[in-house]
């Protein structure tokens, strides 16, 4: 298992480089407008640090916090809260660890939305760049995200195992990284706010300044209105409903996977940092394959790629139901299934983001996404509670079959997600909004 992990990371990194060069070669310059000139991108790519644990209430709180504090202050809050989460790992007190988990859930929710909202605001409202550049910027940010994640896994393994500093060492190293992120937000973003920002109009003063919080209308009232409008949009458009179902099923399974991959592989002694780097490299391969598949040479639609990603995830969990059989574990097959799942994630997220941007109106996106993530977290929490109950009842983790049954449940959820994707594809077969050609035509005009 040790040799397998090292060989896998070498192979995946070489594959990433090859696919990246291929994707750049087959994509014509006019089809990928550059976003490098955007000064907001430099600050945006520095904050892509990965975090994992989520709490159910955190997504609702993160929807309210930017309304009350402003985007810039909320980004600073992320740096502080996740730094505190990392420092709680030094304690052996159960209550302190629980507080750390709550802070981790809040921080991850803020990371997933607030920085993106800041970037879109700076891109469109402040610098007045073309909206068609936004997907290109997110593609570049995803590439940086995966590359940093691969490096983070290697550094974590270096600290924890090769230097024998213990499992808490990577968390402590994250604190100065978060401090640097906060310093960039506090200084560089503050300078940008003081330079060349247009005068805010009267409506802005009544509803809240872009980065300065709320003046007259309360944040609670605006957030409540956003949620009501999001629910109305969700119930009135079947495409939005199906897309929300796909996200809830697919991403809730990913959260369950986060808790299960370590217990499945750790008893067989692999270097967990290297394994994590392998998973992130597989996801990077998936992102590169998405760019290649949707290029002008192959012309696959994001809907097709999304269907393929969900099918691959289903097959991955189907494999895991056999490779984690009680008393007959097959770690190499489980590792291969995990790599396949991360490859599916690399295909899923850009395809889903494209469809989400086309289906959900921009002014209602925050409220709709808040409703999307509610069933997502409910499914993840119920799955983990069911796993805990089964393990406790049988008195043994893998020996009781709880992990295998959970993977079987995840496979069923992926099958339901596949049915939702097929329904969405059938419903929007003649919908030009869901096709990539219209976007390319706009770029080429």
């Amino acid at each position: 298992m040790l040799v397998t992990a090292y060989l896998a990371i070498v192979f995946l990194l070489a594959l990433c480089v090859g696919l990246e060069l291929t994707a750049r070669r087959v994509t014509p310059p006019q089809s990928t407008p550059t976003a490098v000139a955007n000064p907001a991108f430099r600050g945006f790519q520095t904050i892509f640090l990965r975090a994992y644990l989520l709490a159910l209430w955190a997504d609702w709180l993160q929807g309210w916090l930017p309304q009350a504090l402003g985007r810039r202050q909320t980004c600073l809050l992320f740096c502080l809260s996740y730094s505190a989460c990392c420092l709680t790992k030094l304690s052996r007190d159960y209550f302190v660890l629980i507080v750390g988990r709550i802070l981790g859930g809040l921080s991850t929710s803020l990371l997933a939305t607030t920085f993106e909202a800041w970037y879109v605001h700076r891109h469109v409202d402040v610098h007045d760049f073309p909206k068609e550049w936004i997907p290109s910027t997110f593609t570049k940010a995803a590439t940086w995200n995966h590359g940093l994640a691969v490096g983070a896994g290697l550094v974590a393994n270096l600290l924890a195992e090769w230097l024998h500093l213990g499992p808490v060492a990577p968390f402590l190293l994250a604190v100065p990284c978060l401090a640097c992120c906060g310093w960039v937000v506090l200084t560089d973003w503050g300078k940008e706010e003081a330079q060349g920002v247009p005068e805010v109009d009267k409506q802005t003063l009544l509803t809240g300044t872009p980065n300065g919080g709320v003046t007259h209308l309360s944040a609670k009232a605006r957030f409540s209105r956003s949620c009501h409008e999001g629910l109305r949009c969700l119930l009135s458009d079947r495409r939005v409903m199906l897309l929300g179902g796909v996200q809830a099923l697919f991403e809730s399974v990913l959260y369950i996977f986060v808790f299960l991959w370590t217990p499945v592989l750790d008893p067989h002694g692999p270097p967990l940092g290297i394994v994590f780097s392998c998973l992130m490299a597989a996801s990077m391969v998936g992102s590169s394959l998405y760019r290649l598949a949707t290029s002008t040479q192959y012309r696959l639609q994001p809907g097709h790629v999304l269907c393929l990603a969900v099918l691959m995830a289903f097959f991955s969990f189907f494999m895991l139901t056999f490779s984690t059989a009680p008393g007959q574990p097959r770690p190499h097959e489980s590792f291969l299934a995990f790599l396949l799942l991360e490859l599916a994630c690399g295909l899923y997220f850009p395809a889903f983001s494209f469809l989400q941007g086309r289906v959900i109106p921009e002014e209602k996106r925050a409220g709709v996404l808040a409703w999307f993530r509610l069933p997502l977290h409910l499914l993840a929490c119920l799955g983990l509670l069911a796993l805990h109950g089964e393990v406790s009842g049988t008195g043994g983790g893998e020996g009781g079959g709880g992990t295998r049954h959970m993977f079987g449940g995840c496979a069923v959820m992926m099958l339901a997600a596949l049915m939702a994707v097929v329904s969405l594809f059938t419903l929007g077969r003649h919908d030009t909004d869901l096709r990539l050609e219209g976007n390319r035509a706009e770029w080429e005009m």
Side-chain angles (χ1 to χ4, degrees):
M1 190 64 191
L2 180 68
V3 176
T4 302
Y6 283 108
L7 291 178
I9 185 62
V10 173
F11 171 76
L12 289 169
L13 289 177
L15 185 58
C16 288
V17 174
L19 287 173
E20 182 67 20
L21 294 176
T22 304
R24 290 177 181 271
R25 186 172 63 251
V26 301
T27 303
Q30 68 269 20
S31 66
T32 55
T34 179
V36 175
N38 187 346
F41 177 64
R42 178 170 56 85
F44 179 66
Q45 69 184 29
T46 61
I47 50 79
F48 260 81
L49 307 173
R50 293 186 69 89
Y52 296 101
L53 303 174
L54 289 169
L56 178 60
W57 56 270
D59 277 307
W60 294 93
L61 185 57
Q62 61 84 19
W64 173 81
L65 281 174
Q67 308 277 0
L69 301 178
R71 299 181 186 91
R72 180 166 171 261
Q73 287 80 359
T74 309
C75 293
L76 289 173
L77 178 62
F78 158 77
C79 299
L80 292 174
S81 60
Y82 204 75
S83 296
C85 170
C86 293
L87 292 175
T88 59
K89 308 298 181 184
L90 295 170
S91 175
R92 294 188 178 183
D93 185 85
Y94 183 76
F95 176 77
V96 175
L97 294 175
I98 289 295
V99 172
R101 295 286 179 131
I102 295 174
L103 290 174
L106 171 63
S107 304
T108 306
S109 296
L110 294 176
L111 175 65
T113 55
T114 307
F115 288 95
E116 178 179 328
W118 173 86
Y119 163 72
V120 173
H121 164 70
R122 300 291 300 177
H123 183 102
V124 177
D125 298 333
V126 178
H127 297 287
D128 196 25
F129 290 131
K131 291 183 179 180
E132 290 78 12
W133 288 8
I134 293 179
S136 177
T137 302
F138 283 142
T139 299
K140 295 178 184 295
T143 302
W144 278 94
N145 182 28
H146 288 127
L148 290 173
V150 172
L154 296 174
V155 172
N157 196 79
L158 170 67
L159 295 175
E161 297 192 13
W162 297 342
L163 298 181
H164 304 287
L165 297 179
V168 181
F171 291 97
L172 297 181
L173 182 61
V175 175
C177 296
L178 291 166
C180 293
C181 173
W183 178 256
V184 171
V185 173
L186 187 62
T187 57
D188 194 40
W189 292 11
K191 291 178 181 178
E192 289 184 0
E193 291 300 324
Q195 298 173 358
V197 179
E199 292 289 336
V200 293
D201 56 15
K202 184 176 180 181
Q203 182 65 26
T204 301
L205 291 175
L206 291 175
T207 58
T209 58
N211 278 282
V214 177
T215 55
H216 290 78
L217 187 62
S218 69
K220 182 178 180 181
R222 288 189 290 125
F223 178 61
S224 176
R225 183 176 62 185
S226 174
C227 290
H228 289 154
E229 292 178 354
L231 182 60
R232 190 179 300 112
C233 177
L234 183 65
L235 296 177
S236 61
D237 192 338
R238 190 182 174 191
R239 300 178 308 169
V240 179
M241 180 73 75
L242 289 172
L243 199 62
V246 174
Q247 184 186 30
L249 292 167
F250 192 97
E251 297 186 23
S252 62
V253 163
L254 293 185
Y255 291 139
I256 295 174
F257 155 74
V258 166
F259 286 91
L260 293 183
W261 75 267
T262 305
V264 169
L265 298 180
D266 189 47
H268 307 282
L272 295 181
I274 301 298
V275 171
F276 176 80
S277 295
C278 290
L279 298 178
M280 295 301 100
S283 184
M284 188 188 301
V285 170
S287 297
S288 299
L289 285 174
Y290 173 82
R291 292 178 57 193
L292 195 62
T294 56
S295 64
T296 53
Q297 180 174 346
Y298 298 99
R299 297 182 180 276
L300 286 180
Q301 293 299 323
H304 298 133
V305 179
L306 183 64
C307 186
L308 176 62
V310 176
L311 184 62
M312 290 171 59
F314 165 74
F315 185 68
S316 172
F317 284 107
F318 186 75
M319 289 175 58
L320 287 167
T321 58
F322 294 96
S323 63
T324 57
Q328 298 176 340
R330 294 190 286 271
H332 292 86
E333 294 181 13
S334 297
F335 181 53
L336 180 62
F338 290 149
L339 291 178
L340 181 62
L341 179 60
E342 286 294 337
L343 181 67
C345 291
L347 294 171
Y348 164 83
F349 282 106
F352 180 83
S353 297
F354 174 86
L355 295 175
Q356 174 182 283
R358 293 300 185 92
V359 169
I360 306 174
E362 186 175 352
E363 65 276 6
K364 300 179 181 179
R365 188 167 300 171
V368 172
L369 292 182
W371 287 106
F372 275 11
R373 299 184 74 83
L374 179 61
L376 188 160
H377 289 305
L378 281 174
L379 289 172
C381 291
L382 290 174
L384 292 173
L385 286 174
L387 175 65
H388 174 75
E390 186 168 0
V391 170
S392 300
T394 57
E398 191 174 350
T403 301
R404 184 191 187 194
H405 294 161
M406 181 54 59
F407 284 136
C410 290
V412 173
M413 293 171 66
M414 282 295 99
L415 187 60
L418 182 61
M419 296 173 62
V421 172
V422 172
S423 299
L424 178 65
F425 179 74
T426 304
L427 185 65
R429 179 177 300 173
H430 304 292
D431 192 344
T432 56
D433 289 340
L434 302 182
R435 301 184 66 83
L436 199 58
E437 287 83 1
N439 195 26
R440 284 206 176 100
E442 293 174 2
W443 287 353
E444 295 173 355
M445 287 181 60

